Amino acid sequence: MFSKKMILVVGVILLFVVNIVILSVVGRSRLTVSGPDRFAVSMVAPFQEVLTHSLRFVRDIWRSYFALVSAAKENTTLHLKLREAEAWNHKCLEVEKSNARLRHLLNFKPSRPQQVLPAEVIGIDPSAWSKTIIIDKGSADGVKKGFSVVVPEGIVGQIISVAHHYSKVLMIIDPNSAVDAMLQRNRARGIVKGADDGTCLFDYALRKHEILEGDTVISSGLDGVFPKGLQLGRVTRIVKNDAGIFQTVTVTPFVDFEKIEEVLVVIAPPEFGADEEP
Amino acid sequence: MIFGVNIGLCFVLAIVQTTLFPYLGITETFYDLPTLFVLYLGLFRPDRESLPVVVFLGFILDSLSGGPFGVYLSIYFWLFLSVRGSIRFLHIGFNSLLPVILAVGVLLQNAIELLVLAVVEPGMGFPATPPRLILLRMAWVFVTGPFVLLVFRYTHRKCDHWRFQLFSEKSG
């Protein structure tokens, strides 16, 4: 009744429809992690780790032995910067002490103590549509889903999946990432979301707030994930439309996500409210 | 045995793509290496051997990616089917036409990627990969693709040779 060719065409169309339905369903539960997923990461990650260490070893040899000339020049500059930093550090210590005294006077609670766990980046997301990294610390090291990941320059992202010795980190430049944030200068609040081009958007910033290019955006700590006061980025573009109550603000992150090698996982105390693994 | 070799190749390609390429800073400009393996399987290896490997490769890449699960699986699967369908009409070997076929394959992979992402992430900006980068990737695969394919072919030939020797010894 039906030719072989027709059955083949119908089969392919059916397969295509099933594929679209499955992808649509999976797309909605994007961050759900299954057992086989974790198994695959555990299988691949040790080799990624070995390769990463080998590459760094070769690079370190290159830097140590063949780049000594530039290192000497850099050393002089860094010595000068160190002196400046020491002076600045001294000032900061004074401010910290006076801050502690004032907090004591006002009977403020001390900020939440933060314990951090250093980790190495061993793999980067192969896709262009998702911004995640794989680090070499997992549930065996006390890492849990929802913990924040930082570097001295600012926030990197948060843990979205944990294997025994490895974890996946969703970076703040991913379009699915959101951080409750505020401007350091005037405390105007908004949500920092990842854009498609490697920058971020400072969403829900009210038009009434005066935002300037160069303003620093910091975490507000109100999302219960990221500690308060961590740097996110600098405002680089502001668009105030004629209509609407919000303005469009582009933020360029302080962290160079292309060059991250080591990160710090903020190990939160139990009452911090990180999600347990399903 | 051949399945084991293919699984090993999948791991190597996934590791190179997620560790070596980002380290060299060529993730965006260079083509997706596992795509080349899918093209190779589609062009030169039998269905029974290739299809499980294509699915496995998609699964591994999906696991390493933070994106929705199934994107790579779908891309590689449809790419494989497209190549399989097209070789019914084209007779492709290791000849001068191969670089062009590989470049078209990379273009096709980006087109399928765009379609799949349109289903999974409808709100995402268009396009996922700028045309300039796609052209650059096509140029890369045009130049280097056949050499990488030679490595795949050499590995499979060695494997086939060992398998043949093993069966010959067993049968007497």
Side-chain angles (χ1 to χ4, degrees):
Chain A
M1 192 176 161
F2 298 107
S3 68
K4 200 177 170 184
K5 199 175 174 183
M6 196 174 179
I7 293 170
L8 192 73
V9 171
V10 172
V12 168
I13 292 170
L14 205 67
L15 206 62
F16 184 71
V17 173
V18 170
N19 194 183
I20 284 181
V21 171
I22 291 173
L23 278 175
S24 309
V25 173
V26 172
R28 280 181 202 142
S29 55
R30 181 190 153 105
L31 301 180
T32 313
V33 182
S34 58
D37 178 24
R38 251 177 268 165
F39 172 74
V41 171
S42 300
M43 288 287 286
V44 178
F47 298 104
Q48 288 181 315
E49 199 173 4
V50 170
L51 184 61
T52 305
H53 285 156
S54 310
L55 288 167
R56 283 186 192 159
F57 179 71
V58 173
R59 187 203 57 191
D60 288 347
I61 288 176
W62 177 265
R63 282 191 182 165
S64 306
Y65 295 99
F66 298 99
L68 276 176
V69 180
S70 60
K73 283 179 191 168
E74 201 180 353
N75 195 29
T76 316
T77 321
L78 287 175
H79 267 296
L80 284 170
K81 282 189 178 171
L82 182 65
R83 270 183 224 154
E84 285 171 19
E86 276 174 348
W88 179 247
N89 191 34
H90 180 71
K91 278 183 193 170
C92 286
L93 278 172
E94 287 301 310
V95 173
E96 194 184 358
K97 279 177 186 168
S98 60
N99 187 27
R101 282 198 304 275
L102 290 169
R103 273 177 184 273
H104 182 69
L105 277 174
L106 292 167
N107 203 17
F108 266 5
K109 282 184 182 175
S111 296
R112 185 168 31 236
Q114 284 155 19
Q115 220 185 326
V116 289
L117 177 72
E120 267 190 84
V121 177
I122 56 161
I124 292 179
D125 201 312
S127 65
W129 56 87
S130 166
K131 308 286 179 196
T132 59
I133 50 173
I134 296 173
I135 58 170
D136 67 344
K137 294 288 185 290
S139 56
D141 308 286
V143 177
K144 286 181 184 170
K145 191 176 165 185
F147 280 7
S148 53
V149 178
V150 299
V151 287
E153 290 82 22
I155 294 175
V156 174
Q158 68 166 304
I159 305 280
I160 54 162
S161 146
V162 186
H164 196 55
H165 288 294
Y166 306 97
S167 305
K168 213 182 273 180
V169 181
L170 181 76
M171 296 196 280
I172 58 164
I173 49 170
D174 187 286
N176 285 282
S177 164
V179 183
D180 200 304
M182 61 185 176
L183 291 187
Q184 195 170 42
R185 185 174 53 84
N186 59 6
R187 319 312 267 184
R189 280 195 51 209
I191 305 285
V192 168
K193 285 183 174 176
D196 292 330
D197 57 353
T199 61
C200 294
L201 291 172
F202 186 59
D203 275 354
Y204 308 113
L206 294 170
R207 271 175 66 89
K208 67 177 182 182
H209 292 306
E210 189 206 6
I211 299 177
L212 304 172
E213 279 187 22
D215 273 349
T216 301
V217 183
I218 58 170
S219 57
S220 70
L222 294 173
D223 50 20
V225 176
F226 298 100
K228 186 180 177 180
L230 290 178
Q231 290 190 125
L232 279 156
R234 181 155 288 149
V235 173
T236 45
R237 191 162 171 260
I238 306 142
V239 179
K240 276 191 181 181
N241 296 319
D242 294 335
I245 55 170
F246 302 117
Q247 46 190 320
T248 310
V249 181
T250 306
V251 175
T252 303
F254 286 121
V255 179
D256 186 351
F257 292 95
E258 299 285 322
K259 291 178 182 168
I260 302 177
E261 291 185 11
E262 287 94 17
V263 294
L264 297 168
V265 182
V266 180
I267 304 288
E271 69 270 19
F272 199 45
D275 289 343
E276 290 295 322
E277 280 293 292
Chain B
M1 188 179 177
I2 189 79
F3 190 69
V5 169
N6 283 331
I7 295 296
L9 276 172
C10 288
F11 275 118
V12 170
L13 294 172
I15 290 162
V16 168
Q17 187 71 32
T18 56
T19 309
L20 185 64
F21 281 9
Y23 206 83
L24 299 173
I26 55 170
T27 315
E28 283 201 336
T29 49
F30 208 70
Y31 55 91
D32 183 55
L33 207 53
T35 293
L36 202 60
F37 191 46
V38 174
L39 291 173
Y40 169 78
L41 292 172
L43 290 170
F44 302 111
R45 303 300 292 185
D47 281 340
R48 201 180 49 176
E49 178 194 315
S50 308
L51 207 54
V53 180
V54 170
V55 172
F56 182 76
L57 189 60
F59 168 74
I60 289 287
L61 266 296
D62 270 328
S63 301
L64 295 176
S65 163
F69 201 88
V71 173
Y72 274 105
L73 205 60
S74 306
I75 292 170
Y76 292 159
F77 178 74
W78 288 108
L79 181 66
F80 176 76
L81 280 197
S82 311
V83 174
R84 265 289 187 256
S86 54
I87 56 166
R88 287 175 174 219
F89 311 104
L90 291 168
H91 294 284
I92 300 151
F94 271 85
N95 53 32
S96 54
L97 198 66
L98 191 61
V100 181
I101 299 293
L102 294 180
V104 174
V106 168
L107 181 68
L108 188 65
Q109 178 248 326
N110 280 282
I112 299 171
E113 180 185 307
L114 206 63
L115 279 174
V116 171
L117 287 177
V119 174
V120 181
E121 306 252 7
M124 198 178 191
F126 177 87
T129 310
R132 186 185 59 83
L133 281 181
I134 296 175
L135 281 174
L136 201 60
R137 287 172 190 180
M138 286 170 72
W140 269 115
V141 83
F142 187 87
V143 178
T144 62
F147 297 105
V148 183
L149 251 59
L150 280 174
V151 175
F152 294 149
R153 189 170 73 158
Y154 176 79
T155 312
H156 278 124
R157 279 196 172 172
K158 274 279 174 203
C159 184
D160 288 339
H161 181 67
W162 288 331
R163 196 167 47 170
F164 179 72
Q165 270 190 332
L166 201 73
F167 279 115
S168 311
E169 280 170 17
K170 272 186 182 174
S171 58

